[in-house]
């Protein structure tokens, strides 16, 4: 396990290093001055010569990279070119707002996708299985922004059950602190906490459901195929021969092994979820990382673009690491590769 | 006279033919394939098929519903949008940007990616283990994010978007090709050919390639659906192909303002996009199934 752990950590560190090299080189690819792109200090500012001296703009590239890394690790991510705010201070608020959606969608996808996948596997090639699988195929072929439009039109406009955009009705006056609206409400000193919480949940429902559809359907298909594969293995036959009932065979023997192969695909699903969240946040005007990134691209706000790219990619790398470590810990066969 | 086999002939179909035979047996996958082929024909002949110009505005037919409704007019089969432009013409011409362009992008990126992947696959000098793991990890960064970064550098517009998505698709092809070549390399038939003294290019094109073609074709369908989705999503966000061009994603974005008044302007481009992606996914999925059945048998 220690060998496995260290090898995975090593891979993570190398990937992180390559990622920072990439974001560092983005400063030179973006139009304009590299130091401005890094720090958000414009060339005509009085402060520019000082900053340029500190960042070593005239020194060699290795020195500049080391300097960049020092600033990156100490949380000095520069200032936004459009608003002048310090980027780092705002990054975690946007990140938490995004995570609220993403975690919600992921939990929903796992809670519904995995059991129905297992259920479909027990009905293999039956009418229910075929129905579920066709539904899943449709579910992950549907363009996520079109699905969002349809559901908004139906639930928010026609039926008027749910609000259309935003995190919460601004009249509740909840000040953003952590960025995640549910946490903010709990730690705020508002008199109407229960009502605010309900309003926030109403705002959450639609984006979370839309975001969860695609990963849910992918998980369903993967789980169904993997469980079906396992149910044909001799060891399942042996378990049945020992007199276990169908449910015990499924839960104790087939499903744990099926999970192993499904887990391998989970990082892929997660990165799909993240790229969908960029679109969904823009549609629902959710103050998350994806929405921030799209706005920054419109405004050509390079320090912010960089921060968003770094954070999104880092989230994915960390998620990969966690899934990998869990697989290694839970399934010894993975460690022996 | 019916065809008679006079001589005993050992039939030895290529892996692609074998997969095709299994693919052919399923009604659903064949339907999807025919829909896809019809779509491609539409892309090619859309300038002839489209009844009007995409920018021609009919002042007396603004926001006209499709012809199968009460207020519809058969002159405008699928109605008109809020500026009085014919929906059918816009959908037909839009297929060039939403389906034709992705096909082109996938073709370019697959050629580059497969060549690089094949070279990496037969080159045994680099230490593999760590390299492939790191590459694996970096690949999980979504292509949509990569396309966004490239657009941030280059700016929006038709050409830049096409370039961005093409570049963001290449790593996937490199990875799949390299892995496929890598897996075949240690099989007996490759070893036998190597002992026969085949050169590396011969080994790659005549020995290994026929056996990995189905995997590559599957990857093509996956990339195509990703490319269509990405270009539509970027245009929807306003970062891709810009508004007067009738791209399906930008048509959807435009319909946001008027969806309460003219729902068809949202439903029609959405349905075409959905059907296109769905048929590509079904084809890809059936290929995967046919492939695994061939390996198992």
């Amino acid at each position: 396990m220690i060998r496995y752990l260290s090898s995975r950590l090593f891979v993570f560190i190398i990937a992180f290093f390559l990622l920072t090299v990439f974001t560092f080189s983005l400063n030179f690819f973006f139009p304009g001055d590299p130091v401005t792109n890094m720090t958000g200090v414009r060339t005509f500012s009085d402060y520019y010569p000082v900053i340029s001296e500190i960042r070593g703009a005239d020194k060699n590239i290795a020195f500049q990279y080391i300097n960049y890394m020092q600033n990156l690790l100490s949380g000095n991510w520069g200032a936004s070119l459009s608003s002048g705010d310090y980027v780092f201070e705002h990054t975690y608020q946007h990140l938490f707002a995004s995570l609220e959606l993403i975690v919600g969608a992921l939990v929903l996808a796992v809670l519904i996708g995995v059991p129905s996948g297992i259920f479909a596997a027990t009905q293999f090639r039956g009418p229910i299985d075929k129905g579920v699988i066709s539904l899943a195929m449709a579910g992950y072929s549907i363009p996520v922004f079109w699905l969002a439009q349809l559901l908004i039109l139906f639930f928010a406009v026609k039926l008027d059950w749910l609000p259309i955009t935003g995190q919460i009705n601004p009249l509740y006056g909840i000040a953003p602190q952590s960025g995640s609206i549910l946490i903010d409400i709990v730690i705020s000193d508002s008199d109407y906490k229960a009502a605010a919480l309900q309003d926030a949940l109403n705002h959450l429902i639609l984006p979370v459901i839309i975001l969860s559809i695609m990963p849910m359907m992918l998980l369903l298909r993967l789980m169904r195929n993997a469980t079906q594969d396992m149910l044909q293995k001799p060891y399942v036959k042996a378990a049945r021969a020992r007199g276990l009932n169908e449910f015990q065979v499924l839960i104790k023997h087939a499903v744990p092994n099926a999970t192993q192969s499904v887990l391998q695909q989970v990082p892929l699903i997660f990165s799909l979820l993240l790229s969908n969240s960029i679109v969904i946040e823009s549609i629902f005007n959710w103050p998350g990382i994806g929405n921030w990134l799209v706005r920054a691209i419109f405004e050509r706000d390079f320090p912010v673009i960089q921060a968003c790219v770094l954070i999104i990619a880092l989230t994915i790398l960390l998620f990969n690491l966690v899934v990998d470590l869990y697989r290694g810990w839970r399934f010894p066969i993975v460690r022996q590769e | 006279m019916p065809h008679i086999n006079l001589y005993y002939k050992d039939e030895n179909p290529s892996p692609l033919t074998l997969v095709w035979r299994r693919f052919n047996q399923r009604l659903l996958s064949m339907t999807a394939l025919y829909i896809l082929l019809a779509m491609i024909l539409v892309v090619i002949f859309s300038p002839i098929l489209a009844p009007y110009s995409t920018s021609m505005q009919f002042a007396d037919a603004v926001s006209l519903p499709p012809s199968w409704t009460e207020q519809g007019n058969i002159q405008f089969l699928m109605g008109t949008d809020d500026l009085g432009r014919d929906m059918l013409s816009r959908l037909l011409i839009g297929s060039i940007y939403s389906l034709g362009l992705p096909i082109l992008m996938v073709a370019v990126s697959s050629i580059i990616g497969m060549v690089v992947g094949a070279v990496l696959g037969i080159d045994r000098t680099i230490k593999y283990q760590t390299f492939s793991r790191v590459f694996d990890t970096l690949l999980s960064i979504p292509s949509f994010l990569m396309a966004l970064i490239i657009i941030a550098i280059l700016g929006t517009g038709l050409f830049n978007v096409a370039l961005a998505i093409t570049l963001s698709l290449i790593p996937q092809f490199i990875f799949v090709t390299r892995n496929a070549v890598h897996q075949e390399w240690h099989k007996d038939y490759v070893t036998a050919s190597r002992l026969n003294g085949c050169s590396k290019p011969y080994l790659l094109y005549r020995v290994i390639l026929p056996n990995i073609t189905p995997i590559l074709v599957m990857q093509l369908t996956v990339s195509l659906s990703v490319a269509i989705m990405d270009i539509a999503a970027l245009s929807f966000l306003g970062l891709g192909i810009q508004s007067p061009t009738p791209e399906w994603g930008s048509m959807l974005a435009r319909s946001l303002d008027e969806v309460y008044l003219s729902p068809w302007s949202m439903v029609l481009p959405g349905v075409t996009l959905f059907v296109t992606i769905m048929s590509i996914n079904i084809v890809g999925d059936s290929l995967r199934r046919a492939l695994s059945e061939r390996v198992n048998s």
Side-chain angles (χ1 to χ4, degrees):
Chain A
M1 184 68 198
I2 288 175
R3 205 171 142 222
Y4 178 80
L5 188 79
S6 54
S7 88
R8 285 304 146 114
L9 278 176
F10 180 64
V11 166
F12 173 75
I13 289 167
I14 295 209
F16 178 69
F17 167 72
L18 289 177
L19 183 68
T20 55
V21 168
F22 176 67
T23 49
F24 172 69
S25 56
L26 275 183
N27 290 308
F28 297 89
F29 289 136
F30 285 142
D33 185 76
V35 176
T36 307
N37 292 342
M38 257 184 248
T39 58
V41 177
R42 296 194 188 266
T43 41
F44 49 76
S45 150
D46 298 336
Y47 195 43
Y48 180 80
V50 187
I51 269 290
S52 172
E53 178 72 38
I54 296 173
R55 291 278 181 156
D58 49 353
K59 299 226 177 61
N60 72 12
I61 205 89
F63 179 83
Q64 286 187 40
Y65 173 72
I66 292 167
N67 198 304
Y68 171 82
M69 278 308 285
Q70 279 170 353
N71 280 302
L72 195 74
L73 294 177
S74 59
N76 187 3
W77 292 17
S80 159
L81 282 173
S82 66
S83 67
D85 293 332
Y86 285 110
V87 172
F88 186 72
E89 267 91 281
H90 285 258
T91 304
Y92 77 94
Q93 285 192 352
H94 289 286
L95 178 64
F96 271 103
S98 280
L99 282 182
E100 198 168 35
L101 280 188
I102 289 164
V103 169
L106 205 59
V107 168
L108 192 64
V110 171
L111 281 185
I112 299 181
V114 170
S116 31
I118 296 170
F119 178 69
T122 61
Q123 310 281 323
F124 187 60
R125 299 248 157 110
I128 298 179
D129 175 48
K130 279 189 177 151
V132 170
I133 285 306
S134 323
L135 193 73
M137 180 60 102
Y140 78 79
S141 301
I142 196 163
V144 69
F145 43 93
W146 188 54
L147 182 69
Q149 278 184 305
L150 286 178
L151 292 188
I152 288 176
L153 187 67
F154 189 67
F155 286 107
V157 180
K158 284 264 154 66
L159 295 177
D160 201 16
W161 285 355
L162 298 165
I164 297 178
T165 62
Q167 265 185 321
I168 190 170
N169 192 331
L171 290 178
Y172 285 103
I174 304 291
Q177 292 174 44
S178 66
S180 156
I181 191 71
L182 296 180
I183 297 175
D184 274 354
I185 291 174
V186 171
I187 60 174
S188 75
D189 46 4
S190 164
D191 297 334
Y192 306 101
K193 268 189 193 172
L197 214 56
Q198 201 192 352
D199 190 57
L201 283 176
N202 271 341
H203 279 84
L204 256 175
I205 290 175
L206 213 47
V208 165
I209 288 180
I210 293 165
L211 206 50
S212 72
I213 295 276
M214 192 187 250
M216 187 192 294
M217 296 307 169
L218 280 170
L219 268 178
L220 194 162
R221 273 172 45 86
L222 286 172
M223 199 66 213
R224 175 249 188 197
N225 289 347
T227 315
Q228 171 52 31
D229 276 355
M230 287 302 150
L231 282 177
Q232 286 170 342
K233 290 270 162 75
Y235 78 91
V236 170
K237 203 178 270 176
R240 285 206 184 107
R242 289 205 304 276
L244 297 181
N245 64 29
E246 212 40 41
F247 184 74
Q248 283 170 317
V249 168
L250 206 60
I251 297 304
K252 289 227 172 94
H253 295 267
V255 171
N257 276 316
T259 328
Q260 203 267 104
S261 63
V262 172
L263 266 180
Q264 216 172 349
Q265 306 286 329
V266 164
L268 211 73
I269 295 178
F270 186 73
S271 78
L272 251 176
L273 181 63
L274 269 182
S275 56
N276 280 343
S277 80
I278 297 175
V279 180
I280 289 299
E281 283 171 12
S282 302
I283 294 176
F284 284 92
N285 201 15
W286 196 265
I289 285 279
N291 192 7
W292 205 32
L293 172 64
V294 171
R295 261 207 333 250
I297 292 176
F298 274 119
E299 293 166 354
R300 313 215 126 211
D301 192 347
F302 299 113
V304 172
I305 296 179
Q306 233 181 100
C308 292
V309 168
L310 192 67
I311 284 293
I312 295 177
L314 199 60
T315 314
I316 292 174
L317 290 188
L318 273 174
F319 186 83
N320 270 2
L321 182 69
V322 170
V323 170
D324 259 358
L325 291 184
Y326 174 76
R327 277 181 66 216
W329 169 73
R330 179 73 180 75
F331 304 103
I333 193 165
V334 178
R335 293 203 292 265
Q336 274 161 16
E337 277 171 6
Chain B
M1 199 177 128
H3 181 72
I4 298 172
N5 243 344
L6 279 180
Y7 304 100
Y8 173 74
K9 204 169 120 204
D10 194 18
E11 202 203 4
N12 221 342
S14 76
L16 195 62
T17 325
L18 280 173
V19 168
W20 167 248
R21 282 185 193 161
R22 292 196 185 273
F23 186 87
N24 212 347
Q25 286 165 3
R26 282 186 77 214
L27 182 66
L28 182 68
S29 45
M30 286 315 283
T31 320
L33 190 65
Y34 284 133
I35 291 177
L36 197 60
L37 291 178
M39 289 272 193
I40 291 170
L41 283 182
V42 166
V43 170
I44 296 169
F45 293 110
S46 60
I48 305 170
L49 289 173
Y52 305 103
S53 151
T54 55
S55 51
M56 195 199 270
Q57 294 178 321
F58 295 91
D60 50 345
V62 173
S63 286
L64 199 71
S67 57
W68 54 83
T69 55
E70 282 281 295
Q71 305 92 24
N73 183 342
I74 196 66
Q75 261 192 306
F76 305 103
L77 191 64
M78 296 197 170
T80 58
D81 65 4
D82 61 328
L83 294 176
R85 296 176 294 193
D86 181 42
M87 282 297 280
L88 180 64
S89 313
R90 287 178 69 74
L91 283 177
L92 287 175
I93 300 289
S95 67
I96 298 177
Y97 302 98
S98 292
L99 179 61
L101 198 60
I103 290 176
L104 196 69
M105 296 185 310
V106 168
V108 172
S109 61
S110 64
I111 290 170
I112 300 173
M114 282 172 189
V115 169
V116 176
V119 170
L120 283 179
I122 52 170
D123 179 28
R124 336 250 85 212
T125 50
I126 309 172
K127 186 89 178 130
Y128 268 112
Q129 275 294 343
T130 332
F131 173 74
S132 79
R133 283 265 162 68
V134 173
F135 201 64
D136 236 3
T137 320
L138 287 178
L139 258 188
S140 54
I141 293 169
S143 68
F144 187 65
L145 185 66
M146 294 304 292
L148 276 180
I149 298 169
I150 297 170
I151 285 170
I153 296 171
L154 298 175
T156 58
L158 180 79
F159 180 73
N160 290 347
V161 170
L163 188 65
I165 295 180
T166 310
L167 288 178
S168 69
L169 288 176
I170 291 176
Q172 208 75 43
F173 277 111
I174 298 181
F175 183 70
V176 168
T177 316
R178 193 188 62 97
N179 270 10
V181 172
H182 204 63
Q183 261 173 17
E184 296 294 310
W185 190 263
H186 295 293
K187 292 197 176 158
D188 289 344
Y189 76 97
V190 180
T191 314
S193 310
R194 275 167 62 203
L195 286 175
N196 277 344
C198 297
S199 66
K200 271 188 176 170
Y202 182 87
L203 208 59
L204 199 59
Y205 290 112
R206 304 290 299 181
V207 181
I208 295 179
L209 189 65
N211 285 289
I212 63 171
T213 321
I215 300 176
L216 298 182
V217 174
M218 204 176 76
Q219 177 58 30
L220 278 177
T221 64
V222 171
S223 293
L224 186 58
S225 83
V226 168
I228 292 176
M229 204 81 115
D230 280 359
I231 201 168
L234 285 172
S235 305
F236 182 83
L237 291 177
L239 292 168
I241 298 169
Q242 300 296 320
S243 184
T245 314
E247 203 272 341
W248 296 339
S250 61
M251 282 167 82
L252 279 174
R254 185 172 175 79
S255 74
L256 267 181
D257 312 328
E258 27 152 343
V259 64
Y260 328 111
L261 304 171
S262 48
W264 62 90
S265 67
M266 182 194 83
V267 173
L268 291 175
V271 167
T272 29
L273 198 55
F274 176 49
V275 169
T276 314
I277 295 175
M278 177 107 167
S279 55
I280 293 170
N281 279 349
I282 291 177
V283 169
D285 191 58
S286 311
L287 271 178
R288 187 191 321 244
R289 180 192 294 223
L291 199 63
S292 68
E293 274 172 9
R294 187 183 82 84
V295 173
N296 288 340
S297 65

